[in-house]
Amino acid sequence: MITFESWNDMQDQIPDFPADSETKGALEVLRWAYDTYGDKLVYACSFGIEGIVLIDLIAQVKPDAEIVFLDTHYHFKETYETIDKVKARYPQLNIRMQQPEMTIEEQAAKFGPDLFATNPNKCCEIRKIIPLQKALAPSTAWISGLRREQSESRANTNYLNLDNRFQKIKVCPLIHWTWKEVWRYVTKHELDYNVLHDQGYPSIGCEPCTKPAFSMDDIRSGRWSGSGKTECGLHTTNP
């Protein structure tokens, strides 16, 4: 089995997934991943549009898969409404709302109000990175909806990746999908999605740190706008 510890010794055992298949390798990657890791594989989902596609594909492979949502308590109400719709459509999925240790009030008492504005990296650490670390602790691998097209920092993402931050294997089935292909799939299968996508939000995170995108050439341009920050830290290769 390819694990974080055995990664360097098992490069020749990484399958050659077909990027030209109907799902650009996504279903093939998911089948292999669940066959390989079983219940030691978890999907960390933000319930954005890529997540909606992945959930539908995962449900075809493992209907009772574990899905973790990092409930920072700063999310849009539309995001929670989307999760409710997904739960209704896929009742067998094990969707878990992972909570941070501190409430917003406890965080404010310790670090001051609106930490997302004064120190967004610390806020992400408390409300996203540490909770995901705990959620992934029992797992060998986790799934992410990263696509190469999303940003420069994601352009070299592979189907299987060594995740040094969480010391896991990170599985990214959608790396070759374009924005148009994601939407084409959602439309074709009439999937429920976050309505904020129709209001200029291609990438949706916590409400205080998410604005409509300035340009569709950079669909993450609305995240942490004006701060110089581009990632929450979950996908940083070397912490």
Side-chain angles (χ1 to χ4, degrees):
M1 180 191 296
I2 301 172
T3 66
F4 179 83
E5 293 77 14
S6 69
W7 176 264
N8 290 332
D9 298 326
M10 300 190 70
Q11 293 296 296
D12 60 340
Q13 294 192 33
I14 295 178
D16 186 16
F17 299 109
D20 58 351
S21 70
E22 185 178 357
T23 61
K24 291 194 152 184
L27 266 178
E28 292 83 358
V29 170
L30 288 170
R31 289 193 184 104
W32 175 88
Y34 280 107
D35 284 345
T36 301
Y37 301 112
D39 291 335
K40 293 294 185 179
L41 178 65
V42 62
Y43 174 30
C45 182
S46 65
F47 288 85
I49 197 66
E50 289 91 355
I52 295 302
V53 170
L54 265 179
I55 286 172
D56 191 70
L57 294 173
I58 288 170
Q60 298 173 42
V61 176
K62 187 171 173 58
D64 62 344
E66 181 181 6
I67 296 175
V68 170
F69 174 71
L70 302 178
D71 188 4
T72 64
H73 299 173
Y74 277 123
H75 289 289
F76 291 91
K77 68 178 180 61
E78 290 87 351
T79 301
Y80 293 108
E81 290 167 357
T82 302
I83 294 172
D84 288 339
K85 291 176 183 177
V86 169
K87 286 180 177 179
R89 186 178 184 116
Y90 310 95
Q92 288 182 266
L93 288 178
N94 177 20
I95 298 176
R96 181 156 53 90
M97 310 287 275
Q98 184 74 26
Q99 310 291 331
E101 287 187 355
M102 281 190 278
T103 65
I104 291 174
E105 293 74 22
E106 290 169 339
Q107 179 174 293
K110 184 170 183 178
F111 296 101
D114 297 343
L115 186 61
F116 56 80
T118 60
N119 191 342
N121 287 332
K122 188 65 176 178
C123 190
C124 285
E125 179 188 355
I126 293 168
R127 313 203 76 77
K128 286 184 152 186
I129 295 171
I130 294 174
L132 183 57
Q133 192 167 32
K134 291 184 176 181
L136 296 182
S139 303
T140 303
W142 67 294
I143 298 170
S144 173
L146 298 185
R147 294 184 298 108
R148 290 180 175 179
E149 184 191 57
Q150 284 173 324
S151 67
E152 211 172 295
S153 63
R154 301 180 178 187
N156 296 318
T157 306
N158 296 312
Y159 288 124
L160 300 184
N161 306 268
L162 188 68
D163 185 343
N164 289 307
R165 175 176 286 282
F166 298 109
Q167 298 192 355
K168 308 290 180 184
I169 298 300
K170 183 159 65 174
V171 182
C172 300
L174 299 181
I175 56 171
H176 295 301
W177 287 51
T178 66
W179 182 247
K180 287 183 178 179
E181 286 166 339
V182 168
W183 277 101
R184 195 176 298 132
Y185 185 94
V186 169
T187 302
K188 177 181 178 180
H189 297 280
E190 299 182 339
L191 303 181
D192 296 308
Y193 62 86
N194 195 322
V195 296
L196 290 176
H197 285 306
D198 296 331
Q199 300 171 30
Y201 293 81
S203 179
I204 303 168
C206 295
E207 186 169 4
C209 302
T210 305
K211 291 179 170 53
F214 296 117
S215 167
M216 286 308 296
D217 292 331
D218 181 2
I219 64 174
R220 291 181 60 80
S221 60
R223 303 292 295 276
W224 303 284
S225 179
S227 71
K229 181 176 169 68
T230 59
E231 295 278 359
C232 62
L234 299 181
H235 304 294
T236 302
T237 305
N238 296 301

